[in-house]
Amino acid sequence: MRLGVLDIGSNTGHLLVVDAHGGAAPLPAYSYKEPLRLAEHLVADGPDEGAVSDEGIDALTSFTAQACAVAEDKGCEDMLAFATSAVRDSSNSDAVLDHVHDRTGVRISVLSGEDEARLTFLAVRRWFGWSAGRLAVFDIGGGSLEIAGGGDEAPDVAWSLPLGAARLARQYFGDERPDADSLKSLRKSIRAQIARDAGHLLRAGTPDHAAATSKTFRSLARICGAAPSSDGPLVPRHLPLADLREWIPKLVAMKPEELSDLPGVSSSRAHQIVPGALVAEACMDIFDLESLEICPWALREGLILERLDQLPTQLAQPARLG
């Protein structure tokens, strides 16, 4: 079947059109995305503090309408639409989703942080397979950090923390380059929040395989020397802790235009690289991981795989001729 997956993230709205059937890897057929930056369209103060602004609502509605048109043009039989932390944590989330539904006819579901972690874990498990043993999975989004671990397809533990790269950039840096005190405060806060529940994952011992997903981790790995995306998804990519530690002081010292010139970093996300790097370093340090392998599959693929698993067997695979 041809399926559209509409992902409303804290940074980006992304429609991924895939050809998918049970027992096969989802095959991307078309991609349409726009930088919505919803995490930065939250009202900072006043009576509407924490609400998605009118500008953010208009941007989301316009993107959703256009994504519907694209999905129809590309022949999608169905569309899965979901939103993550920026909408989930907003004080007017129900009103935002009702507005989008009224204008476009699309009902966007809001995933919990635990579901984000669980579905991302499923995608990573399917990508690396059973030979990976017990997995630990980390995903830095725009609004939240998801952590999950386990030896099966469903994780034993899965949780979410408000440590997304865009959220932290907005809270700590604003429009200015961070000073030493801001960085120290941010680093301390990140590590305290991750360490608070680290025992959930650590009680089972060191994982056999540690993996990371998301644009932030991919960008950091690329900065540290990983292969470019043009080399394809099958090329192994890693983020070594030692290399990341060497890069963090350099990233802090760079101007936004210098950051956006780095490989794998877009101008719209350049301001998120430093907080993202601090979160990645903290994860690896607290969980005693020398390196993370970058997985090209993440939340969207997890949703697709779960949807295919729910289809009746006779509908999950294409008919055979002869």
Side-chain angles (χ1 to χ4, degrees):
M1 65 185 299
R2 175 156 285 196
L3 182 66
V5 182
L6 183 62
D7 176 358
I8 305 301
S10 298
N11 282 308
T12 305
H14 188 179
L15 172 69
L16 181 65
V17 176
V18 297
D19 291 321
H21 63 84
L27 179 65
Y30 190 78
S31 177
Y32 167 65
K33 64 177 73 174
E34 292 289 344
L36 299 180
R37 298 177 74 162
L38 290 180
E40 297 171 36
H41 279 302
L42 297 178
V43 179
D45 50 37
D48 294 328
E49 181 179 358
V52 179
S53 67
D54 291 343
E55 182 182 358
I57 294 172
D58 289 343
L60 174 56
T61 304
S62 176
F63 172 77
T64 302
Q66 185 59 36
C68 288
V70 171
E72 182 177 330
D73 288 346
K74 297 302 177 183
C76 291
E77 299 176 44
D78 197 3
M79 186 161 71
L80 303 175
F82 68 94
T84 54
S85 64
V87 175
R88 180 174 68 234
D89 297 339
S90 66
S91 60
N92 62 337
S93 59
D94 290 341
V96 171
L97 298 177
D98 287 343
H99 182 276
V100 173
H101 180 254
D102 290 343
R103 299 297 191 280
T104 68
V106 175
R107 175 58 69 183
I108 298 173
S109 300
V110 178
L111 293 179
S112 69
E114 183 177 340
D115 278 341
E116 279 195 64
R118 176 181 62 81
L119 290 165
T120 300
F121 184 90
L122 172 62
V124 176
R125 167 61 73 195
R126 294 279 179 93
W127 180 268
F128 289 118
W130 295 112
S131 63
R134 182 173 177 81
L135 274 172
V137 176
F138 303 87
D139 184 337
I140 303 172
S144 59
L145 162 71
E146 276 69 51
I147 302 173
D152 299 325
E153 287 207 330
D156 299 331
V157 294
W159 74 100
S160 178
L161 295 167
L163 296 175
R167 183 195 297 267
L168 296 177
R170 178 171 55 88
Q171 290 178 341
Y172 283 83
F173 298 168
D175 297 326
E176 304 294 331
R177 292 175 63 190
D179 57 26
D181 288 341
S182 295
L183 284 172
K184 183 178 180 180
S185 175
L186 175 56
R187 185 177 187 275
K188 180 180 179 181
S189 176
I190 289 170
R191 288 172 178 257
Q193 291 184 65
I194 295 174
R196 185 178 301 129
D197 295 317
H200 295 337
L201 190 62
L202 291 173
R203 286 189 188 95
T206 303
D208 299 305
H209 200 99
T213 71
S214 80
K215 177 65 173 177
T216 295
F217 273 119
R218 291 197 303 271
S219 296
L220 291 171
R222 184 75 181 94
I223 290 170
C224 292
S229 58
S230 58
D231 285 1
L234 299 182
V235 176
R237 295 172 174 85
H238 295 84
L239 176 61
L241 177 58
D243 292 351
L244 180 61
R245 281 178 170 157
E246 287 186 11
W247 265 101
I248 286 177
K250 302 176 188 177
L251 298 175
V252 170
M254 288 182 176
K255 298 178 181 179
E257 56 269 24
E258 294 174 320
L259 290 170
S260 62
D261 285 338
L262 291 171
V265 180
S266 63
S267 58
S268 64
R269 291 177 181 257
H271 65 301
Q272 302 177 23
I273 284 297
V274 171
L278 293 175
V279 173
E281 180 194 32
C283 288
M284 298 169 75
D285 205 6
I286 289 170
F287 293 102
D288 195 23
L289 303 169
E290 295 182 0
S291 181
L292 291 170
E293 184 165 4
I294 306 302
C295 179
W297 280 6
L299 177 57
R300 281 187 296 273
E301 287 77 14
L303 272 163
I304 295 167
L305 292 166
E306 184 174 71
R307 173 62 181 274
L308 292 176
D309 288 348
Q310 295 169 350
L311 291 176
T313 303
Q314 64 268 29
L315 297 179
Q317 296 184 4
R320 294 181 179 180
L321 301 179

